[in-house]
Amino acid sequence: MTALLLGALGLTLSLAVPGVLAGARWPDRAPVAAVLLWQALTLTSVLCALGVVLAAPEEMTRAAGADHPWTVVALVLSLAVAATIVIRLLISLIKVSARARARRERHRMLADLLDRAERHRELGGGEVRVLDGALPLAYCVPGREPRVVLSDAVLRILDREQVDAVLEHERAHLRHKHELVMESFTAFYQAVPRPLRSRAPLDAVHLLLEMVSDDAARRRAGPAPLRAALARLSDAVPLAEEAPADPAGESRRRRLDRLAGPAPNSTGLSVLAGVAAVGLLVLPTVILVVPWLDQALDAWPFRSL
Amino acid sequence: MALGDLEREVMTQLWDASEPLTVRQVHELLGRERDLAYTTVMTVLDRLAKKKLVVQQRADRAYRYAPAQSRAEMTAALMFDALSATPDQDAALAYFLGQLPPGAIRAALDATPKET
Ligand SMILES: [Zn+2]
């Protein structure tokens, strides 16, 4: 029974819920809590998978009798499967972070070499680098020596206030270590067998992290410069005709909408999503523990009194 | 002066030069502005060659150094690396702009005027 429950929960969490959560719009008003919810969702589905694998043989054993020879086989097999799941996840995490670190390291080195140092003296911040080029581009390179990279075109298209807003946005990514969040979701994505993979969590979390950084930049630089910068930068990239079904267009519109009015974040929604995240995390444990507790209580000597 | 700054200045000299330069030439070009040891310049060029950013040519009993790629080429390649990083591959970078389709990136980079 426990295994069945855990299995049903795991399947619901990994197949049905991500689609619903990815389609929802309320996370735009509680991005930090929504990221937590995505993390809880992912972790809980892993816990459910482990729970099924570990609980199933125990239940079969009880049905078949403890001294049945298949019991040992089932137990060993289930431990092997559980270990495979955990090891696969760990290996994926190590691979993803090692690859990302190497790529960032090389990227940072090249950005330092190509930097037009004379063009950003007045911008301040030792981590800023400016590249030549007519393509407006701003991004950050996380790491021990993080960098914020702007293209020359950004400095031409945006005024000083808007550039500052962009820098604040990128610094928020670096300060909050968003790359670690993305790495963990990427590792999970790659550890899942190909037919079962879904990009929904990756893309949703990516957009939510952009919103978190937008909020941080808005607090420091004000919403108007950031919104103008976002609109101008994306207008300046000639991709409209290249990409008919542009998924980035939709997320850009959502970010712009959030910056249009008063601060969109709702404390109530954040608390609710946070509680849901914690609830999800303890659910598999509860399912595992409750029947055991039930039996333990049944065996309690004073129960019969 | 930090090693990174020195590497950048050496690369800039090589990029701005019309032909491959010897260590002495680089040293002279840099030395106009500051006091630098010849061996330091040699070490920096050696490091850059090891990173495959600079190619070493032997001519007239002296080594000459040239950038492996022009500044514009290397910049375009770097931007391409930044733009083509997708979260499902390696969570490499975080960006202000959303993902661009590869075709659009190429088109945008090709539209970037190359300096000569
Ligand atoms: Zn961003």
Short mmCIF file of all heavy atoms in Angstrom, two decimals, chain B residues 21-63:
data_model
loop_
_atom_site.label_atom_id
_atom_site.label_comp_id
_atom_site.label_asym_id
_atom_site.label_seq_id
_atom_site.Cartn_x
_atom_site.Cartn_y
_atom_site.Cartn_z
N LEU B 21 54.94 40.13 -34.48
CA LEU B 21 55.93 40.93 -33.76
C LEU B 21 56.89 40.03 -32.99
O LEU B 21 56.52 38.95 -32.53
CB LEU B 21 55.24 41.86 -32.76
CG LEU B 21 54.23 42.87 -33.31
CD1 LEU B 21 53.60 43.65 -32.18
CD2 LEU B 21 54.92 43.82 -34.28
N THR B 22 58.12 40.49 -32.82
CA THR B 22 59.06 39.79 -31.96
C THR B 22 58.83 40.23 -30.52
O THR B 22 58.13 41.22 -30.27
CB THR B 22 60.52 40.15 -32.33
OG1 THR B 22 60.68 41.56 -32.16
CG2 THR B 22 60.83 39.77 -33.77
N VAL B 23 59.43 39.47 -29.59
CA VAL B 23 59.30 39.84 -28.18
C VAL B 23 59.83 41.26 -27.97
O VAL B 23 59.22 42.08 -27.28
CB VAL B 23 60.09 38.85 -27.30
CG1 VAL B 23 59.97 39.26 -25.83
CG2 VAL B 23 59.58 37.44 -27.49
N ARG B 24 60.98 41.54 -28.66
CA ARG B 24 61.58 42.86 -28.48
C ARG B 24 60.63 43.98 -28.93
O ARG B 24 60.48 45.00 -28.26
CB ARG B 24 62.90 42.93 -29.26
CG ARG B 24 63.68 44.22 -29.04
CD ARG B 24 65.17 44.02 -29.28
NE ARG B 24 65.78 42.97 -28.50
CZ ARG B 24 66.07 43.08 -27.20
NH1 ARG B 24 65.79 44.17 -26.53
NH2 ARG B 24 66.64 42.08 -26.56
N GLN B 25 59.98 43.74 -30.07
CA GLN B 25 59.04 44.76 -30.57
C GLN B 25 57.89 44.99 -29.60
O GLN B 25 57.52 46.13 -29.32
CB GLN B 25 58.49 44.34 -31.94
CG GLN B 25 59.50 44.52 -33.07
CD GLN B 25 59.02 43.90 -34.36
OE1 GLN B 25 58.53 42.77 -34.37
NE2 GLN B 25 59.13 44.65 -35.44
N VAL B 26 57.33 43.88 -29.09
CA VAL B 26 56.23 44.02 -28.13
C VAL B 26 56.71 44.77 -26.90
O VAL B 26 56.05 45.67 -26.38
CB VAL B 26 55.66 42.63 -27.73
CG1 VAL B 26 54.59 42.78 -26.67
CG2 VAL B 26 55.10 41.92 -28.95
N HIS B 27 57.92 44.38 -26.46
CA HIS B 27 58.50 45.02 -25.28
C HIS B 27 58.66 46.53 -25.49
O HIS B 27 58.32 47.34 -24.64
CB HIS B 27 59.86 44.38 -24.98
CG HIS B 27 60.53 44.96 -23.78
ND1 HIS B 27 61.80 45.48 -23.82
CD2 HIS B 27 60.09 45.11 -22.51
CE1 HIS B 27 62.13 45.93 -22.61
NE2 HIS B 27 61.10 45.71 -21.79
N GLU B 28 59.13 46.89 -26.68
CA GLU B 28 59.30 48.32 -26.96
C GLU B 28 57.97 49.05 -27.00
O GLU B 28 57.82 50.15 -26.47
CB GLU B 28 60.04 48.51 -28.29
CG GLU B 28 61.55 48.42 -28.14
CD GLU B 28 62.25 48.23 -29.48
OE1 GLU B 28 61.59 48.46 -30.53
OE2 GLU B 28 63.43 47.85 -29.48
N LEU B 29 56.99 48.42 -27.64
CA LEU B 29 55.67 49.07 -27.76
C LEU B 29 55.05 49.30 -26.38
O LEU B 29 54.46 50.33 -26.10
CB LEU B 29 54.72 48.21 -28.60
CG LEU B 29 55.00 48.23 -30.11
CD1 LEU B 29 54.24 47.11 -30.81
CD2 LEU B 29 54.61 49.58 -30.69
N LEU B 30 55.20 48.28 -25.50
CA LEU B 30 54.63 48.41 -24.16
C LEU B 30 55.48 49.32 -23.29
O LEU B 30 54.97 50.07 -22.46
CB LEU B 30 54.52 47.04 -23.49
CG LEU B 30 53.46 46.09 -24.03
CD1 LEU B 30 53.63 44.72 -23.38
CD2 LEU B 30 52.07 46.63 -23.76
N GLY B 31 56.81 49.23 -23.52
CA GLY B 31 57.76 49.93 -22.65
C GLY B 31 57.69 51.43 -22.74
O GLY B 31 58.11 52.14 -21.84
N ARG B 32 57.11 51.91 -23.85
CA ARG B 32 56.97 53.35 -23.99
C ARG B 32 56.19 53.95 -22.83
O ARG B 32 56.43 55.05 -22.41
CB ARG B 32 56.21 53.68 -25.27
CG ARG B 32 57.10 53.69 -26.49
CD ARG B 32 56.29 54.07 -27.69
NE ARG B 32 56.82 53.42 -28.87
CZ ARG B 32 56.09 53.07 -29.92
NH1 ARG B 32 54.80 53.29 -29.91
NH2 ARG B 32 56.65 52.51 -30.95
N GLU B 33 55.22 53.16 -22.35
CA GLU B 33 54.37 53.72 -21.30
C GLU B 33 54.86 53.38 -19.91
O GLU B 33 54.52 54.04 -18.96
CB GLU B 33 52.93 53.21 -21.47
CG GLU B 33 52.27 53.73 -22.74
CD GLU B 33 51.44 52.66 -23.44
OE1 GLU B 33 50.57 52.06 -22.78
OE2 GLU B 33 51.68 52.42 -24.64
N ARG B 34 55.61 52.29 -19.79
CA ARG B 34 56.01 51.91 -18.43
C ARG B 34 57.29 51.09 -18.43
O ARG B 34 57.78 50.69 -19.48
CB ARG B 34 54.89 51.14 -17.74
CG ARG B 34 54.75 49.72 -18.22
CD ARG B 34 53.55 49.10 -17.61
NE ARG B 34 52.34 49.66 -18.17
CZ ARG B 34 51.88 49.32 -19.37
NH1 ARG B 34 52.54 48.46 -20.11
NH2 ARG B 34 50.77 49.82 -19.85
N ASP B 35 57.75 50.85 -17.26
CA ASP B 35 58.98 50.10 -17.05
C ASP B 35 58.65 48.61 -16.94
O ASP B 35 58.04 48.19 -15.96
CB ASP B 35 59.64 50.61 -15.76
CG ASP B 35 61.00 50.01 -15.56
OD1 ASP B 35 61.67 49.73 -16.59
OD2 ASP B 35 61.39 49.82 -14.41
N LEU B 36 59.05 47.83 -17.95
CA LEU B 36 58.71 46.41 -17.95
C LEU B 36 59.94 45.59 -18.31
O LEU B 36 60.70 45.96 -19.20
CB LEU B 36 57.66 46.14 -19.02
CG LEU B 36 56.20 45.96 -18.62
CD1 LEU B 36 55.38 45.69 -19.86
CD2 LEU B 36 56.02 44.86 -17.61
N ALA B 37 60.12 44.45 -17.61
CA ALA B 37 61.27 43.60 -17.93
C ALA B 37 61.01 42.84 -19.23
O ALA B 37 59.89 42.42 -19.50
CB ALA B 37 61.51 42.62 -16.78
N TYR B 38 62.03 42.67 -20.01
CA TYR B 38 61.94 41.93 -21.26
C TYR B 38 61.44 40.52 -21.03
O TYR B 38 60.58 40.01 -21.75
CB TYR B 38 63.34 41.92 -21.91
CG TYR B 38 63.44 41.13 -23.18
CD1 TYR B 38 63.10 41.70 -24.40
CD2 TYR B 38 63.90 39.81 -23.16
CE1 TYR B 38 63.20 40.97 -25.57
CE2 TYR B 38 64.00 39.07 -24.33
CZ TYR B 38 63.65 39.66 -25.53
OH TYR B 38 63.75 38.94 -26.68
N THR B 39 61.98 39.91 -19.97
CA THR B 39 61.61 38.51 -19.68
C THR B 39 60.13 38.39 -19.31
O THR B 39 59.50 37.37 -19.57
CB THR B 39 62.44 37.94 -18.53
OG1 THR B 39 62.44 38.89 -17.45
CG2 THR B 39 63.86 37.67 -18.95
N THR B 40 59.60 39.43 -18.69
CA THR B 40 58.17 39.40 -18.35
C THR B 40 57.32 39.31 -19.62
O THR B 40 56.39 38.52 -19.71
CB THR B 40 57.78 40.67 -17.57
OG1 THR B 40 58.70 40.86 -16.51
CG2 THR B 40 56.37 40.56 -17.02
N VAL B 41 57.68 40.14 -20.60
CA VAL B 41 56.96 40.11 -21.87
C VAL B 41 57.07 38.74 -22.52
O VAL B 41 56.09 38.19 -23.05
CB VAL B 41 57.49 41.21 -22.82
CG1 VAL B 41 56.78 41.15 -24.16
CG2 VAL B 41 57.32 42.58 -22.18
N MET B 42 58.27 38.16 -22.44
CA MET B 42 58.48 36.84 -23.01
C MET B 42 57.58 35.81 -22.33
O MET B 42 56.96 34.98 -23.00
CB MET B 42 59.95 36.45 -22.84
CG MET B 42 60.44 35.45 -23.84
SD MET B 42 62.24 35.48 -23.97
CE MET B 42 62.69 34.70 -22.43
N THR B 43 57.54 35.88 -20.99
CA THR B 43 56.70 34.94 -20.25
C THR B 43 55.24 35.08 -20.64
O THR B 43 54.54 34.09 -20.83
CB THR B 43 56.85 35.21 -18.73
OG1 THR B 43 58.22 35.31 -18.41
CG2 THR B 43 56.19 34.11 -17.92
N VAL B 44 54.79 36.32 -20.76
CA VAL B 44 53.39 36.54 -21.10
C VAL B 44 53.07 35.98 -22.49
O VAL B 44 52.07 35.29 -22.68
CB VAL B 44 53.05 38.05 -21.04
CG1 VAL B 44 51.69 38.33 -21.67
CG2 VAL B 44 53.08 38.54 -19.60
N LEU B 45 53.97 36.22 -23.45
CA LEU B 45 53.75 35.70 -24.80
C LEU B 45 53.74 34.17 -24.79
O LEU B 45 52.95 33.54 -25.50
CB LEU B 45 54.84 36.22 -25.74
CG LEU B 45 54.60 37.64 -26.25
CD1 LEU B 45 55.84 38.21 -26.87
CD2 LEU B 45 53.44 37.68 -27.23
N ASP B 46 54.61 33.60 -23.97
CA ASP B 46 54.68 32.16 -23.85
C ASP B 46 53.36 31.60 -23.30
O ASP B 46 52.82 30.61 -23.80
CB ASP B 46 55.83 31.81 -22.91
CG ASP B 46 56.37 30.42 -23.20
OD1 ASP B 46 56.55 30.12 -24.40
OD2 ASP B 46 56.57 29.65 -22.24
N ARG B 47 52.86 32.26 -22.27
CA ARG B 47 51.58 31.84 -21.68
C ARG B 47 50.45 31.91 -22.70
O ARG B 47 49.62 31.01 -22.81
CB ARG B 47 51.21 32.74 -20.49
CG ARG B 47 51.86 32.34 -19.17
CD ARG B 47 51.59 33.41 -18.13
NE ARG B 47 50.16 33.65 -17.94
CZ ARG B 47 49.46 33.13 -16.94
NH1 ARG B 47 50.05 32.36 -16.06
NH2 ARG B 47 48.19 33.38 -16.81
N LEU B 48 50.42 33.00 -23.45
CA LEU B 48 49.38 33.19 -24.45
C LEU B 48 49.49 32.12 -25.54
O LEU B 48 48.47 31.63 -26.05
CB LEU B 48 49.46 34.59 -25.05
CG LEU B 48 49.06 35.73 -24.10
CD1 LEU B 48 49.40 37.08 -24.70
CD2 LEU B 48 47.57 35.67 -23.77
N ALA B 49 50.73 31.75 -25.88
CA ALA B 49 50.92 30.71 -26.89
C ALA B 49 50.43 29.37 -26.37
O ALA B 49 49.82 28.59 -27.09
CB ALA B 49 52.39 30.64 -27.28
N LYS B 50 50.68 29.11 -25.07
CA LYS B 50 50.22 27.84 -24.48
C LYS B 50 48.71 27.76 -24.48
O LYS B 50 48.13 26.69 -24.63
CB LYS B 50 50.75 27.74 -23.04
CG LYS B 50 52.19 27.30 -22.97
CD LYS B 50 52.45 26.47 -21.71
CE LYS B 50 53.92 26.07 -21.62
NZ LYS B 50 54.78 27.17 -21.10
N LYS B 51 48.06 28.91 -24.31
CA LYS B 51 46.59 28.92 -24.34
C LYS B 51 46.05 28.94 -25.76
O LYS B 51 44.86 29.08 -25.98
CB LYS B 51 46.07 30.17 -23.60
CG LYS B 51 46.31 30.18 -22.10
CD LYS B 51 45.72 31.45 -21.49
CE LYS B 51 46.21 31.68 -20.07
NZ LYS B 51 45.84 33.04 -19.60
N LYS B 52 46.94 28.87 -26.73
CA LYS B 52 46.58 28.84 -28.15
C LYS B 52 45.88 30.13 -28.60
O LYS B 52 45.07 30.13 -29.51
CB LYS B 52 45.68 27.64 -28.47
CG LYS B 52 46.30 26.30 -28.11
CD LYS B 52 45.88 25.25 -29.11
CE LYS B 52 46.29 23.84 -28.71
NZ LYS B 52 47.63 23.72 -28.15
N LEU B 53 46.19 31.23 -27.93
CA LEU B 53 45.62 32.51 -28.32
C LEU B 53 46.57 33.25 -29.26
O LEU B 53 46.19 34.17 -29.96
CB LEU B 53 45.35 33.37 -27.08
CG LEU B 53 44.37 32.74 -26.11
CD1 LEU B 53 44.37 33.46 -24.77
CD2 LEU B 53 42.98 32.74 -26.71
N VAL B 54 47.82 32.79 -29.25
CA VAL B 54 48.87 33.43 -30.02
C VAL B 54 49.63 32.34 -30.74
O VAL B 54 49.84 31.26 -30.19
CB VAL B 54 49.79 34.21 -29.05
CG1 VAL B 54 51.17 34.35 -29.60
CG2 VAL B 54 49.20 35.57 -28.72
N VAL B 55 50.02 32.56 -31.99
CA VAL B 55 50.85 31.57 -32.68
C VAL B 55 52.27 32.09 -32.83
O VAL B 55 52.49 33.27 -33.07
CB VAL B 55 50.27 31.19 -34.07
CG1 VAL B 55 49.10 30.26 -33.92
CG2 VAL B 55 49.88 32.42 -34.85
N GLN B 56 53.18 31.14 -32.66
CA GLN B 56 54.60 31.46 -32.67
C GLN B 56 55.14 31.10 -34.05
O GLN B 56 54.91 30.00 -34.53
CB GLN B 56 55.27 30.59 -31.61
CG GLN B 56 56.48 31.15 -31.00
CD GLN B 56 57.05 30.18 -29.99
OE1 GLN B 56 56.93 28.96 -30.14
NE2 GLN B 56 57.68 30.70 -28.96
N GLN B 57 55.85 32.03 -34.70
CA GLN B 57 56.46 31.72 -35.99
C GLN B 57 57.95 31.97 -35.89
O GLN B 57 58.37 32.96 -35.29
CB GLN B 57 55.88 32.63 -37.08
CG GLN B 57 54.37 32.53 -37.20
CD GLN B 57 53.78 33.71 -37.94
OE1 GLN B 57 54.48 34.65 -38.31
NE2 GLN B 57 52.48 33.65 -38.16
N ARG B 58 58.74 31.08 -36.52
CA ARG B 58 60.19 31.30 -36.49
C ARG B 58 60.62 31.90 -37.81
O ARG B 58 60.36 31.36 -38.86
CB ARG B 58 60.91 29.97 -36.23
CG ARG B 58 62.31 30.17 -35.74
CD ARG B 58 63.01 28.84 -35.51
NE ARG B 58 64.46 29.07 -35.55
CZ ARG B 58 65.16 29.44 -34.46
NH1 ARG B 58 64.56 29.58 -33.32
NH2 ARG B 58 66.46 29.64 -34.56
N ALA B 59 61.23 33.07 -37.73
CA ALA B 59 61.69 33.74 -38.94
C ALA B 59 62.93 34.53 -38.62
O ALA B 59 62.97 35.24 -37.61
CB ALA B 59 60.61 34.68 -39.47
N ASP B 60 63.97 34.40 -39.45
CA ASP B 60 65.23 35.14 -39.27
C ASP B 60 65.80 34.95 -37.86
O ASP B 60 66.13 35.93 -37.19
CB ASP B 60 65.04 36.63 -39.53
CG ASP B 60 64.34 36.88 -40.86
OD1 ASP B 60 64.50 36.02 -41.75
OD2 ASP B 60 63.63 37.89 -40.98
N ARG B 61 65.90 33.75 -37.41
CA ARG B 61 66.47 33.41 -36.10
C ARG B 61 65.74 34.04 -34.92
O ARG B 61 66.23 34.07 -33.81
CB ARG B 61 67.95 33.81 -36.05
CG ARG B 61 68.86 32.82 -36.77
CD ARG B 61 70.18 33.45 -36.94
NE ARG B 61 69.94 34.87 -37.24
CZ ARG B 61 70.76 35.68 -37.85
NH1 ARG B 61 71.90 35.30 -38.18
NH2 ARG B 61 70.48 36.93 -38.12
N ALA B 62 64.57 34.58 -35.15
CA ALA B 62 63.83 35.16 -34.02
C ALA B 62 62.39 34.67 -34.08
O ALA B 62 61.85 34.45 -35.16
CB ALA B 62 63.86 36.67 -34.08
N TYR B 63 61.81 34.48 -32.91
CA TYR B 63 60.41 34.10 -32.88
C TYR B 63 59.54 35.33 -33.07
O TYR B 63 59.81 36.39 -32.51
CB TYR B 63 60.06 33.42 -31.55
CG TYR B 63 60.51 31.99 -31.48
CD1 TYR B 63 61.49 31.59 -30.57
CD2 TYR B 63 59.94 31.04 -32.33
CE1 TYR B 63 61.90 30.28 -30.51
CE2 TYR B 63 60.35 29.72 -32.27
CZ TYR B 63 61.32 29.34 -31.37
OH TYR B 63 61.73 28.04 -31.31
#
